[in-house]
Amino acid sequence: MGAPAHSPWCACFVSWCLHQAGVATARFGAARSWFDQRHTIWRNGTGRTPQFGDLTGYRWGSSQIHHVGFVDFWGTGPSAQTVEGNTGGGKALLREGDGVFKNWRLKRTIWAVADVVDDPHYTHSE
């Protein structure tokens, strides 16, 4: 996807997956770029119930979202199952993960959820 070697690649993974699925959306190299006002459907526990394929955004100790993945299963419990690139697969929260893994995340650690499948159009690109 054109990212420099050894850079965080979670957003590149999201872009690749969406294009493989035929979703014509912007290609973003920064996780925060997916979560504009138009596409964010859930934040801090409020909003529309996330669905399979929506994007999860995380901002651990930062004011900006810096990791992105997909909702695999949301459910009604305190955790959601996600699919994320550039992650450690539950072994640890690694900045430079070693692959693509399914993870169980506490919903309270998910900062925002974006729906890009139903409305893939962005007004800006990065």
Side-chain angles (χ1 to χ4, degrees):
M1 300 296 302
H6 306 293
S7 64
W9 52 272
C10 59
C12 294
F13 169 70
V14 166
S15 289
W16 181 84
C17 289
L18 290 171
H19 284 273
Q20 293 297 307
V23 179
T25 187
R27 294 180 189 227
F28 291 127
R32 67 183 172 273
S33 301
W34 295 100
F35 297 89
D36 63 3
Q37 185 175 4
R38 178 176 179 170
H39 294 91
T40 300
I41 62 165
W42 184 94
R43 188 183 313 260
N44 295 328
T46 62
R48 190 172 85 206
T49 302
Q51 302 293 317
F52 175 82
D54 288 341
L55 304 183
T56 55
Y58 307 87
R59 61 173 226 175
W60 298 294
S62 171
S63 63
Q64 294 185 18
I65 290 175
H66 59 267
H67 184 68
V68 62
F70 288 99
V71 171
D72 187 48
F73 174 77
W74 193 260
T76 59
S79 297
Q81 189 170 50
T82 62
V83 176
E84 303 165 23
N86 195 34
T87 185
K91 296 176 274 187
L93 294 178
L94 304 173
R95 177 163 170 77
E96 300 303 327
D98 58 357
V100 175
F101 296 96
K102 284 188 176 186
N103 293 301
W104 282 100
R105 302 282 192 192
L106 288 170
K107 291 176 185 174
R108 68 173 191 237
T109 67
I110 299 170
W111 178 251
V113 176
D115 177 355
V116 301
V117 174
D118 292 330
D119 179 10
H121 305 291
Y122 280 81
T123 57
H124 64 281
S125 62
E126 191 169 288

